[in-house]
Amino acid sequence: MATPLKVAVLISGRGSNLQALIDAFGPQIADSPVKIALVLSNRPDAPGLDRAANAGLKTEIVDHKAFQSREDFDVAMDREIRAAGAAFVVMAGFMRLLTPQFVTAWKDKLVNIHPALLPAFPGLNTHRRALDAGVRFHGATVHFVRHETDSGPIIAQAAVPVLPDDDESTLAARVLQAEHKLYPLALRLIAQGNVRVEDDRAIVSDAPLADGVLFNPALTS
Ligand code: GAR
């Protein structure tokens, strides 16, 4: 069995994506390709911290409010990540902008999940904006992090249909379900060495690809 990829998971809140990663790669999984070395939150009250503690994972709080500058906050975070022995950083609902220094230091070792089919709808309120735009498909993206918000080489995406009766919460729930499958899939591919970056695009090898075309409304004849 190859050495597992030691990751730090960064959270700010609910931690349902963290839970999906715990279910896939937590201490209860024998021979996991990923080891969660640390769960770090910038909010002391993030419910995700309880999920981590319940799974027996090491947790740290680096409260952004205790720092004078973003630079100081990111330096403190970087220190904790390295102290835990993590070689890779996974943002799972982490709602802080990162400094260029941090992003550069972790280039191609830092991934994020975003609740939209990037490059559509970077930023906040993605579900509201998808509904307002009238798109027929929406979804989630796992990508390496670059300097611009919600940009960087795309590793994997999940598409879900937008249905006529959807409101923000029904659409968000459908996307979130997809996120919980997408993030473990993407991280497994990375840990197994199936993802590399070339010309600032992510190349995925030895993974079955989606086939077929999705129509919404569905094609009936
Ligand atoms: C998820 O939908 C994630 O994609 C989103 O925050 C939510 C966190 O939920 N992230 C972003 O919007 C980052 N740009 P969770 O805490 O239950 O995983």
Side-chain angles (χ1 to χ4, degrees):
M1 176 70 207
T3 319
L5 179 67
K6 285 177 89 176
V7 307
V9 182
L10 309 186
I11 62 167
S12 297
R14 176 177 59 183
S16 72
N17 276 290
L18 166 67
Q19 188 65 55
L21 295 174
I22 292 171
D23 293 346
F25 306 120
Q28 77 287 359
I29 304 292
D31 296 332
S32 171
V34 174
K35 178 176 159 53
I36 302 172
L38 173 68
V39 174
L40 186 154
S41 173
N42 66 305
R43 292 188 175 275
D45 57 352
L49 286 168
D50 294 333
R51 299 180 189 267
N54 288 340
L57 297 173
K58 177 178 163 59
T59 61
E60 288 290 348
I61 296 161
V62 182
D63 184 348
H64 63 276
K65 294 202 186 100
F67 294 87
Q68 297 271 344
S69 67
R70 276 189 198 282
E71 283 74 16
D72 289 351
F73 168 71
D74 279 9
V75 165
M77 219 170 40
D78 186 271
R79 195 178 302 128
E80 293 296 347
I81 294 166
R82 291 181 198 279
F88 200 92
V89 181
V90 177
M91 295 163 71
F94 183 71
M95 303 308 270
R96 298 288 302 166
L97 294 176
L98 297 167
T99 56
Q101 291 87 332
F102 188 94
V103 171
T104 301
W106 290 95
K107 188 170 184 210
D108 297 343
K109 298 186 180 69
L110 170 63
V111 290
N112 180 45
I113 190 160
H114 181 73
L117 291 172
L118 290 172
F121 312 125
L124 299 174
N125 303 317
T126 57
H127 310 308
R128 174 79 265 144
R129 287 156 64 208
L131 288 169
D132 289 349
V135 293
R136 295 304 191 253
F137 288 102
H138 184 41
T141 303
V142 175
H143 63 98
F144 288 111
V145 173
R146 294 293 185 261
H147 294 299
E148 260 175 62
T149 307
D150 300 322
S151 75
I154 290 170
I155 299 160
Q157 293 187 306
V160 304
V162 180
L163 301 177
D165 291 337
D166 271 337
D167 57 24
E168 229 174 309
S169 77
T170 57
L171 184 56
R174 194 173 306 120
V175 171
L176 194 63
Q177 270 200 342
E179 290 185 44
H180 296 162
K181 298 201 176 102
L182 183 68
Y183 224 173
L185 164 69
L187 203 53
R188 184 178 302 278
L189 288 168
I190 292 165
Q192 290 172 340
N194 291 1
V195 182
R196 68 182 197 282
V197 179
E198 255 176 43
D199 298 329
D200 222 35
R201 288 176 34 160
I203 315 283
V204 178
S205 52
D206 295 330
L209 297 174
D211 59 356
V213 183
L214 295 174
F215 295 85
N216 186 26
L219 196 63
T220 50
S221 57

